[in-house]
Every structure is written in structure tokens, then in C-alpha cells.
Amino acid sequence: MTPKPIDTVVRENLEAYFHDLDGEEPHSMHEMLIKLVEKPLLEMVMQRTGGNQSKAADWLGINRNTLRRKLTDHKLL
């Protein structure tokens, strides 16, 4: 079975999220979604780079200090 593209999975989950709200208005969706996606992204990249922060920052296209802050924010350090 071929995995679905990430954007399709996100779209499907957002549809379910809106359905579950049952008419309630959402709050701070951008922040919520970024946090939900960012943590597993950081976990996977750190795992695939063997914990090498310089390499992980390069893969992510961010500064190493930014990576360290994000890892700390997500309690991954």
C-alpha cells in the first residue's frame, strides 16, 4: 500500500477536526497545527541524523540555535 501524501493526510485530519467541533469555532489553529507537526518532524530528523544537531539544522533549513530552541520548547533535549 502506498502512503498518502502528507498534505492529503493533513487535509483529512482537519476535516475530522472541524467535524468534531460540531459547530464550535476553532481557536489558535495555526499554533496548534504547527506544534502538532513540528514535534514529530524534529523527532524523526534527530533520529535520522543520529542526534547530530548541525546536520539536523541543515536538513531542516534552519539555524542550529533555532533548532536547539525548538528542541527545548518540545522537551526533546
Side-chain angles (χ1 to χ4, degrees), residues 6 25-26 30 43 53 64 67 75-76:
I6 293 172
E25 290 198 13
H30 183 267
E43 289 170 335
Q53 292 180 11
R64 187 174 173 276
L67 173 62
K75 298 176 176 53
L76 296 174

Side-chain angles (χ1 to χ4, degrees), residues 1-74:
M1 181 164 110
T2 305
K4 294 180 183 180
I6 293 172
D7 61 330
T8 299
V9 174
V10 170
R11 190 171 288 107
E12 289 172 353
N13 279 274
L14 284 171
E15 287 291 339
Y17 173 75
F18 280 114
H19 179 267
D20 291 346
L21 284 176
D22 195 31
E24 292 290 322
E25 290 198 13
H27 176 68
S28 301
M29 286 185 61
H30 183 267
E31 181 181 352
M32 175 192 69
L33 188 58
I34 295 302
K35 285 183 180 181
L36 289 172
V37 172
E38 190 171 60
K39 185 173 183 176
L41 171 63
L42 293 171
E43 289 170 335
M44 291 298 299
V45 169
M46 291 304 295
Q47 178 185 7
R48 297 286 179 148
T49 61
N52 183 319
Q53 292 180 11
S54 295
K55 185 183 243 183
D58 187 50
W59 281 21
L60 292 166
I62 61 176
N63 179 289
R64 187 174 173 276
N65 290 332
T66 301
L67 173 62
R68 287 189 55 78
R69 181 181 49 78
K70 289 178 179 292
L71 292 171
T72 299
D73 290 348
H74 289 285

